[in-house]
Amino acid sequence: IVSAPDMRSGRDAAAYGEELRRVLRTCGVTDGNMAEGSMRVDVNVSVMPRGSQVYGTRVEIKNMNSFSNMQKAIDFEIDRQVSLLRSGRGSEIVMETRLWDEIKLVTNTMRKKEGLADYR
């Protein structure tokens, strides 16, 4: 299931994921146990300056085994991208896949993306 890019925070995305899991459980599609891999969620994060209509560079995050970790990963990535942009280092935000490290509470580069086809 792919959603529209209209979530503004990790909290919004986690709430969406929890509701989606509730619906899937109710339908009997899955038990939705993320820790066991019955349900997986990858997210794409990009920030947009106030007043802009254009999203920035998209970064994918993987390796989240709970909605709590998903919220933390998204919020970290938003803060990382905003910090880079504010410090004039926006060129360091590149299309890539990052992994969530739930011990250090950071995202780390897994691999760079070449183009939109890598987001299939």
Side-chain angles (χ1 to χ4, degrees):
I1 297 173
V2 177
S3 63
D6 61 356
M7 292 168 233
R8 304 289 182 214
S9 69
R11 183 176 182 175
D12 289 350
Y16 174 85
E18 289 168 347
E19 180 63 15
L20 179 60
R21 179 173 62 184
R22 187 191 66 73
V23 169
L24 293 172
R25 281 179 171 169
T26 300
C27 293
V29 174
T30 181
D31 66 7
N33 188 326
M34 291 178 73
E36 293 178 0
S38 299
M39 182 173 177
R40 293 184 174 260
V41 180
D42 296 336
V43 300
N44 292 309
V45 176
S46 61
V47 297
M48 178 189 316
R50 278 183 170 60
S52 176
Q53 297 294 322
V54 180
Y55 285 99
T57 302
R58 179 175 30 184
V59 174
E60 182 180 34
I61 308 172
K62 294 181 173 279
N63 199 33
M64 297 163 293
N65 62 1
S66 70
F67 291 116
S68 173
N69 277 324
M70 183 175 86
Q71 179 175 341
K72 291 173 191 171
I74 292 168
D75 290 339
F76 173 85
E77 187 59 26
I78 290 170
D79 290 345
R80 185 186 78 86
Q81 290 184 25
V82 168
S83 177
L84 287 169
L85 289 167
R86 286 185 177 156
S87 67
R89 297 172 32 216
S91 63
E92 293 180 33
I93 303 169
V94 296
M95 287 192 343
E96 65 181 338
T97 299
R98 297 179 70 87
L99 297 177
W100 174 244
D101 183 328
E102 67 181 282
I103 295 169
K104 295 180 181 176
L105 303 177
V106 299
T107 60
N108 295 301
T109 299
M110 176 182 159
R111 69 175 170 263
K112 304 288 185 198
K113 302 277 189 171
E114 302 271 329
L116 294 178
D118 289 332
Y119 283 94
R120 294 182 278 138

